[in-house]
Amino acid sequence: MIRPVVYGADYSAYVRIVRLVLEEKGIGYELVPVDIFAADGIPSWYFDHQPFGRMPAFEHDGFRLHETSAITRYVDEAFDGPALQPIEPRPRARMNQIIGMLDAYAYRAMVWDV
Ligand SMILES: N[C@@H](CCC(=O)N[C@@H](CS)C(=O)NCC(=O)O)C(=O)O
């Protein structure tokens, strides 16, 4: 199997979400460290992977993705291993609601303030 690549810093909450999903699925992967807070700024090559300069970014067999919820859903659906999402529409919608809510309203407070 071609191992996916995750780009980002190991301390990042969003990078950890992707890594947790990969671990839960039992998938080996490579972590390429990217320091988006480096004094010299974000490395220019990284914008080809994540045009908004956030982390993580992800690549699998030439397929590049960014946005944590897209990456985690892709990993769950494209690889063998335990299914991580509910099948039924309502529990699945609730999952999507909670992820959307955390992305839209919680990131600033949880990552920068708490
Ligand atoms: N919408 C992005 C958000 C990712 C994100 O905000 N990651 C944080 C690290 S935990 C980041 O890059 N923060 C840098 C910043 O806020 O400038 C995703 O879902 O992947």
PDB file of all heavy atoms in Angstrom, residues 76-101:
ATOM      1  N   ASP A  76     -11.270   7.518   6.010  1.00  0.00           N
ATOM      2  CA  ASP A  76     -12.234   6.510   6.462  1.00  0.00           C
ATOM      3  C   ASP A  76     -12.807   5.731   5.282  1.00  0.00           C
ATOM      4  O   ASP A  76     -12.993   4.515   5.368  1.00  0.00           O
ATOM      5  CB  ASP A  76     -13.360   7.183   7.251  1.00  0.00           C
ATOM      6  CG  ASP A  76     -14.239   6.160   7.953  1.00  0.00           C
ATOM      7  OD1 ASP A  76     -13.720   5.091   8.326  1.00  0.00           O
ATOM      8  OD2 ASP A  76     -15.442   6.437   8.135  1.00  0.00           O
ATOM      9  N   GLU A  77     -13.081   6.419   4.176  1.00  0.00           N
ATOM     10  CA  GLU A  77     -13.801   5.780   3.070  1.00  0.00           C
ATOM     11  C   GLU A  77     -12.876   5.090   2.067  1.00  0.00           C
ATOM     12  O   GLU A  77     -13.289   4.165   1.376  1.00  0.00           O
ATOM     13  CB  GLU A  77     -14.677   6.834   2.373  1.00  0.00           C
ATOM     14  CG  GLU A  77     -15.855   7.245   3.271  1.00  0.00           C
ATOM     15  CD  GLU A  77     -16.458   8.589   2.952  1.00  0.00           C
ATOM     16  OE1 GLU A  77     -16.165   9.127   1.854  1.00  0.00           O
ATOM     17  OE2 GLU A  77     -17.219   9.113   3.794  1.00  0.00           O
ATOM     18  N   ALA A  78     -11.620   5.511   1.985  1.00  0.00           N
ATOM     19  CA  ALA A  78     -10.726   4.988   0.941  1.00  0.00           C
ATOM     20  C   ALA A  78      -9.855   3.822   1.410  1.00  0.00           C
ATOM     21  O   ALA A  78      -9.250   3.150   0.583  1.00  0.00           O
ATOM     22  CB  ALA A  78      -9.835   6.114   0.404  1.00  0.00           C
ATOM     23  N   PHE A  79      -9.802   3.617   2.713  1.00  0.00           N
ATOM     24  CA  PHE A  79      -8.900   2.583   3.236  1.00  0.00           C
ATOM     25  C   PHE A  79      -9.680   1.507   3.983  1.00  0.00           C
ATOM     26  O   PHE A  79     -10.779   1.759   4.504  1.00  0.00           O
ATOM     27  CB  PHE A  79      -7.875   3.210   4.197  1.00  0.00           C
ATOM     28  CG  PHE A  79      -6.901   4.131   3.535  1.00  0.00           C
ATOM     29  CD1 PHE A  79      -7.201   5.489   3.378  1.00  0.00           C
ATOM     30  CD2 PHE A  79      -5.685   3.663   3.053  1.00  0.00           C
ATOM     31  CE1 PHE A  79      -6.295   6.347   2.763  1.00  0.00           C
ATOM     32  CE2 PHE A  79      -4.783   4.520   2.441  1.00  0.00           C
ATOM     33  CZ  PHE A  79      -5.091   5.868   2.290  1.00  0.00           C
ATOM     34  N   ASP A  80      -9.061   0.319   4.042  1.00  0.00           N
ATOM     35  CA  ASP A  80      -9.616  -0.739   4.876  1.00  0.00           C
ATOM     36  C   ASP A  80      -9.479  -0.334   6.342  1.00  0.00           C
ATOM     37  O   ASP A  80      -8.805   0.635   6.672  1.00  0.00           O
ATOM     38  CB  ASP A  80      -8.838  -2.043   4.653  1.00  0.00           C
ATOM     39  CG  ASP A  80      -9.078  -2.595   3.249  1.00  0.00           C
ATOM     40  OD1 ASP A  80     -10.121  -2.252   2.647  1.00  0.00           O
ATOM     41  OD2 ASP A  80      -8.212  -3.352   2.769  1.00  0.00           O
ATOM     42  N   GLY A  81     -10.119  -1.151   7.189  1.00  0.00           N
ATOM     43  CA  GLY A  81     -10.041  -0.857   8.621  1.00  0.00           C
ATOM     44  C   GLY A  81     -11.434  -0.563   9.132  1.00  0.00           C
ATOM     45  O   GLY A  81     -12.393  -0.513   8.348  1.00  0.00           O
ATOM     46  N   PRO A  82     -11.562  -0.352  10.429  1.00  0.00           N
ATOM     47  CA  PRO A  82     -12.892  -0.140  11.005  1.00  0.00           C
ATOM     48  C   PRO A  82     -13.545   1.131  10.463  1.00  0.00           C
ATOM     49  O   PRO A  82     -12.867   2.146  10.274  1.00  0.00           O
ATOM     50  CB  PRO A  82     -12.601   0.003  12.508  1.00  0.00           C
ATOM     51  CG  PRO A  82     -11.156   0.354  12.602  1.00  0.00           C
ATOM     52  CD  PRO A  82     -10.478  -0.276  11.428  1.00  0.00           C
ATOM     53  N   ALA A  83     -14.854   1.049  10.199  1.00  0.00           N
ATOM     54  CA  ALA A  83     -15.601   2.244   9.755  1.00  0.00           C
ATOM     55  C   ALA A  83     -15.715   3.201  10.932  1.00  0.00           C
ATOM     56  O   ALA A  83     -16.079   2.804  12.037  1.00  0.00           O
ATOM     57  CB  ALA A  83     -16.973   1.838   9.256  1.00  0.00           C
ATOM     58  N   LEU A  84     -15.405   4.470  10.692  1.00  0.00           N
ATOM     59  CA  LEU A  84     -15.372   5.444  11.788  1.00  0.00           C
ATOM     60  C   LEU A  84     -16.574   6.387  11.790  1.00  0.00           C
ATOM     61  O   LEU A  84     -16.709   7.210  12.684  1.00  0.00           O
ATOM     62  CB  LEU A  84     -14.077   6.256  11.714  1.00  0.00           C
ATOM     63  CG  LEU A  84     -12.780   5.435  11.786  1.00  0.00           C
ATOM     64  CD1 LEU A  84     -11.571   6.349  11.672  1.00  0.00           C
ATOM     65  CD2 LEU A  84     -12.725   4.619  13.074  1.00  0.00           C
ATOM     66  N   GLN A  85     -17.442   6.255  10.754  1.00  0.00           N
ATOM     67  CA  GLN A  85     -18.593   7.155  10.690  1.00  0.00           C
ATOM     68  C   GLN A  85     -19.886   6.348  10.741  1.00  0.00           C
ATOM     69  O   GLN A  85     -19.947   5.247  10.208  1.00  0.00           O
ATOM     70  CB  GLN A  85     -18.587   7.932   9.370  1.00  0.00           C
ATOM     71  CG  GLN A  85     -17.321   8.727   9.129  1.00  0.00           C
ATOM     72  CD  GLN A  85     -17.288   9.288   7.727  1.00  0.00           C
ATOM     73  OE1 GLN A  85     -17.836  10.341   7.456  1.00  0.00           O
ATOM     74  NE2 GLN A  85     -16.639   8.561   6.815  1.00  0.00           N
ATOM     75  N   PRO A  86     -20.936   6.932  11.342  1.00  0.00           N
ATOM     76  CA  PRO A  86     -22.223   6.245  11.324  1.00  0.00           C
ATOM     77  C   PRO A  86     -22.734   6.101   9.889  1.00  0.00           C
ATOM     78  O   PRO A  86     -22.485   6.964   9.050  1.00  0.00           O
ATOM     79  CB  PRO A  86     -23.145   7.184  12.117  1.00  0.00           C
ATOM     80  CG  PRO A  86     -22.269   8.189  12.766  1.00  0.00           C
ATOM     81  CD  PRO A  86     -20.979   8.228  12.033  1.00  0.00           C
ATOM     82  N   ILE A  87     -23.469   5.024   9.622  1.00  0.00           N
ATOM     83  CA  ILE A  87     -24.046   4.784   8.300  1.00  0.00           C
ATOM     84  C   ILE A  87     -25.405   5.480   8.163  1.00  0.00           C
ATOM     85  O   ILE A  87     -25.725   6.048   7.121  1.00  0.00           O
ATOM     86  CB  ILE A  87     -24.246   3.253   8.076  1.00  0.00           C
ATOM     87  CG1 ILE A  87     -22.907   2.521   8.154  1.00  0.00           C
ATOM     88  CG2 ILE A  87     -24.950   2.977   6.745  1.00  0.00           C
ATOM     89  CD1 ILE A  87     -21.945   2.857   7.053  1.00  0.00           C
ATOM     90  N   GLU A  88     -26.192   5.422   9.237  1.00  0.00           N
ATOM     91  CA  GLU A  88     -27.560   5.950   9.191  1.00  0.00           C
ATOM     92  C   GLU A  88     -27.546   7.472   9.020  1.00  0.00           C
ATOM     93  O   GLU A  88     -26.700   8.157   9.603  1.00  0.00           O
ATOM     94  CB  GLU A  88     -28.294   5.606  10.494  1.00  0.00           C
ATOM     95  CG  GLU A  88     -28.583   4.124  10.650  1.00  0.00           C
ATOM     96  CD  GLU A  88     -29.497   3.603   9.545  1.00  0.00           C
ATOM     97  OE1 GLU A  88     -30.497   4.269   9.234  1.00  0.00           O
ATOM     98  OE2 GLU A  88     -29.180   2.539   8.978  1.00  0.00           O
ATOM     99  N   PRO A  89     -28.494   8.000   8.233  1.00  0.00           N
ATOM    100  CA  PRO A  89     -28.474   9.431   7.926  1.00  0.00           C
ATOM    101  C   PRO A  89     -28.501  10.350   9.149  1.00  0.00           C
ATOM    102  O   PRO A  89     -27.782  11.350   9.182  1.00  0.00           O
ATOM    103  CB  PRO A  89     -29.731   9.640   7.074  1.00  0.00           C
ATOM    104  CG  PRO A  89     -30.027   8.307   6.487  1.00  0.00           C
ATOM    105  CD  PRO A  89     -29.540   7.286   7.479  1.00  0.00           C
ATOM    106  N   ARG A  90     -29.307  10.034  10.145  1.00  0.00           N
ATOM    107  CA  ARG A  90     -29.434  10.985  11.265  1.00  0.00           C
ATOM    108  C   ARG A  90     -28.189  11.020  12.158  1.00  0.00           C
ATOM    109  O   ARG A  90     -27.675  12.115  12.439  1.00  0.00           O
ATOM    110  CB  ARG A  90     -30.704  10.705  12.068  1.00  0.00           C
ATOM    111  CG  ARG A  90     -31.932  11.091  11.253  1.00  0.00           C
ATOM    112  CD  ARG A  90     -33.209  10.958  12.016  1.00  0.00           C
ATOM    113  NE  ARG A  90     -34.323  11.352  11.144  1.00  0.00           N
ATOM    114  CZ  ARG A  90     -35.567  11.513  11.561  1.00  0.00           C
ATOM    115  NH1 ARG A  90     -35.878  11.332  12.824  1.00  0.00           N
ATOM    116  NH2 ARG A  90     -36.511  11.876  10.705  1.00  0.00           N
ATOM    117  N   PRO A  91     -27.681   9.866  12.586  1.00  0.00           N
ATOM    118  CA  PRO A  91     -26.423   9.941  13.346  1.00  0.00           C
ATOM    119  C   PRO A  91     -25.283  10.543  12.519  1.00  0.00           C
ATOM    120  O   PRO A  91     -24.434  11.267  13.055  1.00  0.00           O
ATOM    121  CB  PRO A  91     -26.133   8.476  13.703  1.00  0.00           C
ATOM    122  CG  PRO A  91     -27.418   7.757  13.547  1.00  0.00           C
ATOM    123  CD  PRO A  91     -28.235   8.519  12.542  1.00  0.00           C
ATOM    124  N   ARG A  92     -25.287  10.282  11.218  1.00  0.00           N
ATOM    125  CA  ARG A  92     -24.239  10.849  10.360  1.00  0.00           C
ATOM    126  C   ARG A  92     -24.384  12.376  10.267  1.00  0.00           C
ATOM    127  O   ARG A  92     -23.411  13.123  10.334  1.00  0.00           O
ATOM    128  CB  ARG A  92     -24.329  10.215   8.966  1.00  0.00           C
ATOM    129  CG  ARG A  92     -23.077  10.336   8.140  1.00  0.00           C
ATOM    130  CD  ARG A  92     -23.257   9.495   6.879  1.00  0.00           C
ATOM    131  NE  ARG A  92     -22.136   9.606   5.980  1.00  0.00           N
ATOM    132  CZ  ARG A  92     -21.147   8.736   5.922  1.00  0.00           C
ATOM    133  NH1 ARG A  92     -21.110   7.700   6.729  1.00  0.00           N
ATOM    134  NH2 ARG A  92     -20.169   8.885   5.061  1.00  0.00           N
ATOM    135  N   ALA A  93     -25.634  12.812  10.149  1.00  0.00           N
ATOM    136  CA  ALA A  93     -25.876  14.262  10.114  1.00  0.00           C
ATOM    137  C   ALA A  93     -25.459  14.905  11.432  1.00  0.00           C
ATOM    138  O   ALA A  93     -24.893  16.002  11.459  1.00  0.00           O
ATOM    139  CB  ALA A  93     -27.350  14.534   9.837  1.00  0.00           C
ATOM    140  N   ARG A  94     -25.724  14.220  12.548  1.00  0.00           N
ATOM    141  CA  ARG A  94     -25.336  14.779  13.856  1.00  0.00           C
ATOM    142  C   ARG A  94     -23.818  14.885  13.943  1.00  0.00           C
ATOM    143  O   ARG A  94     -23.290  15.887  14.423  1.00  0.00           O
ATOM    144  CB  ARG A  94     -25.888  13.883  14.978  1.00  0.00           C
ATOM    145  CG  ARG A  94     -25.758  14.489  16.345  1.00  0.00           C
ATOM    146  CD  ARG A  94     -26.627  15.733  16.535  1.00  0.00           C
ATOM    147  NE  ARG A  94     -28.041  15.401  16.600  1.00  0.00           N
ATOM    148  CZ  ARG A  94     -29.031  16.258  16.330  1.00  0.00           C
ATOM    149  NH1 ARG A  94     -28.759  17.509  16.018  1.00  0.00           N
ATOM    150  NH2 ARG A  94     -30.290  15.878  16.391  1.00  0.00           N
ATOM    151  N   MET A  95     -23.138  13.859  13.457  1.00  0.00           N
ATOM    152  CA  MET A  95     -21.671  13.913  13.432  1.00  0.00           C
ATOM    153  C   MET A  95     -21.202  15.113  12.607  1.00  0.00           C
ATOM    154  O   MET A  95     -20.342  15.887  13.034  1.00  0.00           O
ATOM    155  CB  MET A  95     -21.107  12.616  12.821  1.00  0.00           C
ATOM    156  CG  MET A  95     -19.592  12.598  12.699  1.00  0.00           C
ATOM    157  SD  MET A  95     -18.983  11.380  11.490  1.00  0.00           S
ATOM    158  CE  MET A  95     -19.369  12.205   9.940  1.00  0.00           C
ATOM    159  N   ASN A  96     -21.799  15.275  11.410  1.00  0.00           N
ATOM    160  CA  ASN A  96     -21.400  16.400  10.542  1.00  0.00           C
ATOM    161  C   ASN A  96     -21.700  17.735  11.208  1.00  0.00           C
ATOM    162  O   ASN A  96     -20.936  18.695  11.081  1.00  0.00           O
ATOM    163  CB  ASN A  96     -22.113  16.301   9.195  1.00  0.00           C
ATOM    164  CG  ASN A  96     -21.589  15.151   8.362  1.00  0.00           C
ATOM    165  OD1 ASN A  96     -20.424  14.773   8.484  1.00  0.00           O
ATOM    166  ND2 ASN A  96     -22.436  14.579   7.522  1.00  0.00           N
ATOM    167  N   GLN A  97     -22.827  17.811  11.931  1.00  0.00           N
ATOM    168  CA  GLN A  97     -23.177  19.043  12.629  1.00  0.00           C
ATOM    169  C   GLN A  97     -22.120  19.389  13.678  1.00  0.00           C
ATOM    170  O   GLN A  97     -21.657  20.533  13.770  1.00  0.00           O
ATOM    171  CB  GLN A  97     -24.534  18.881  13.315  1.00  0.00           C
ATOM    172  CG  GLN A  97     -24.926  20.107  14.126  1.00  0.00           C
ATOM    173  CD  GLN A  97     -26.205  19.885  14.929  1.00  0.00           C
ATOM    174  OE1 GLN A  97     -26.822  18.822  14.882  1.00  0.00           O
ATOM    175  NE2 GLN A  97     -26.597  20.880  15.656  1.00  0.00           N
ATOM    176  N   ILE A  98     -21.726  18.400  14.463  1.00  0.00           N
ATOM    177  CA  ILE A  98     -20.761  18.655  15.544  1.00  0.00           C
ATOM    178  C   ILE A  98     -19.400  19.052  14.969  1.00  0.00           C
ATOM    179  O   ILE A  98     -18.763  20.003  15.444  1.00  0.00           O
ATOM    180  CB  ILE A  98     -20.660  17.423  16.472  1.00  0.00           C
ATOM    181  CG1 ILE A  98     -21.987  17.261  17.227  1.00  0.00           C
ATOM    182  CG2 ILE A  98     -19.492  17.562  17.444  1.00  0.00           C
ATOM    183  CD1 ILE A  98     -22.136  15.933  17.938  1.00  0.00           C
ATOM    184  N   ILE A  99     -18.976  18.351  13.909  1.00  0.00           N
ATOM    185  CA  ILE A  99     -17.690  18.708  13.294  1.00  0.00           C
ATOM    186  C   ILE A  99     -17.758  20.130  12.729  1.00  0.00           C
ATOM    187  O   ILE A  99     -16.849  20.951  12.932  1.00  0.00           O
ATOM    188  CB  ILE A  99     -17.314  17.695  12.187  1.00  0.00           C
ATOM    189  CG1 ILE A  99     -16.988  16.331  12.814  1.00  0.00           C
ATOM    190  CG2 ILE A  99     -16.112  18.197  11.379  1.00  0.00           C
ATOM    191  CD1 ILE A  99     -16.813  15.210  11.797  1.00  0.00           C
ATOM    192  N   GLY A 100     -18.864  20.440  12.044  1.00  0.00           N
ATOM    193  CA  GLY A 100     -19.016  21.783  11.464  1.00  0.00           C
ATOM    194  C   GLY A 100     -19.030  22.858  12.537  1.00  0.00           C
ATOM    195  O   GLY A 100     -18.421  23.928  12.388  1.00  0.00           O
ATOM    196  N   MET A 101     -19.711  22.559  13.640  1.00  0.00           N
ATOM    197  CA  MET A 101     -19.812  23.512  14.749  1.00  0.00           C
ATOM    198  C   MET A 101     -18.433  23.777  15.361  1.00  0.00           C
ATOM    199  O   MET A 101     -18.049  24.930  15.593  1.00  0.00           O
ATOM    200  CB  MET A 101     -20.719  22.867  15.795  1.00  0.00           C
ATOM    201  CG  MET A 101     -21.408  23.762  16.743  1.00  0.00           C
ATOM    202  SD  MET A 101     -22.560  22.757  17.723  1.00  0.00           S
ATOM    203  CE  MET A 101     -21.443  21.749  18.677  1.00  0.00           C
TER     204      MET A 101
END
